[in-house]
Amino acid sequence: MTETVAEPVTVQILGKEYRVACPEEQRHALIASANLLDRRMKEIRDTGKVVGGDRIAVMAALNITHELLTLKDQQADMDKRIQALRARVDSALDKEAEGH
C-alpha cells in the first residue's frame, strides 16, 4: 500500500502567500477554498468597515461558517422531507399491492 504524500501548495490570501501541505487528491479543493476565503476577505476589507487582517479573517470565517451551518440545516430539512415522501410512496405501493 502506498502512502499519500502531502506536497506543499502555495496559495495567496489577501496578498500574502501561504504554503500548505496537502495530498495531491485534495489540491484542487484546497485551492478553491483559499480562493473563496481570499475573495470573501477582500469583500470585507473593501467595505472599509473592518480594519486589520486578523479581524477581516475572523469576519470572513464567521460568514462562511454561518453559510455552512445554514446549508447543513437545509440539507437536514430536505432529508426529512425525502424520508416522508418515501414513506408515503411505500405506503401507497403497499396498499396497491394489497388490492391485487
Side-chain angles (χ1 to χ4, degrees):
M1 178 184 275
T2 61
E3 186 176 312
T4 303
V5 178
E7 294 290 328
V9 176
T10 301
V11 295
Q12 195 168 61
I13 300 171
L14 212 56
K16 292 184 179 180
E17 284 191 356
Y18 297 90
R19 289 178 55 83
V20 181
C22 179
E24 181 65 32
E25 65 273 9
Q26 295 178 11
R27 182 183 176 105
H28 179 73
L30 172 65
I31 292 169
S33 297
N35 289 339
L36 172 64
L37 180 58
D38 181 54
R39 190 169 54 252
R40 294 297 182 83
M41 288 178 69
K42 285 177 180 175
E43 288 171 3
I44 292 167
R45 180 197 63 198
D46 292 347
T47 66
K49 295 178 182 178
V50 181
V51 178
D54 290 348
R55 290 178 183 258
I56 292 170
V58 168
M59 291 305 297
L62 287 172
N63 289 339
I64 292 169
T65 303
H66 173 73
E67 290 172 13
L68 173 65
L69 293 176
T70 299
L71 288 172
K72 282 186 173 187
D73 287 345
Q74 290 173 352
Q75 181 65 47
D77 290 343
M78 190 61 66
D79 289 346
K80 287 178 187 175
R81 287 179 169 178
I82 289 170
Q83 286 177 337
L85 286 172
R86 282 184 179 157
R88 288 175 65 187
V89 168
D90 288 345
S91 177
L93 291 172
D94 287 346
K95 287 180 183 176
E96 180 69 24
E98 290 173 2
H100 286 108

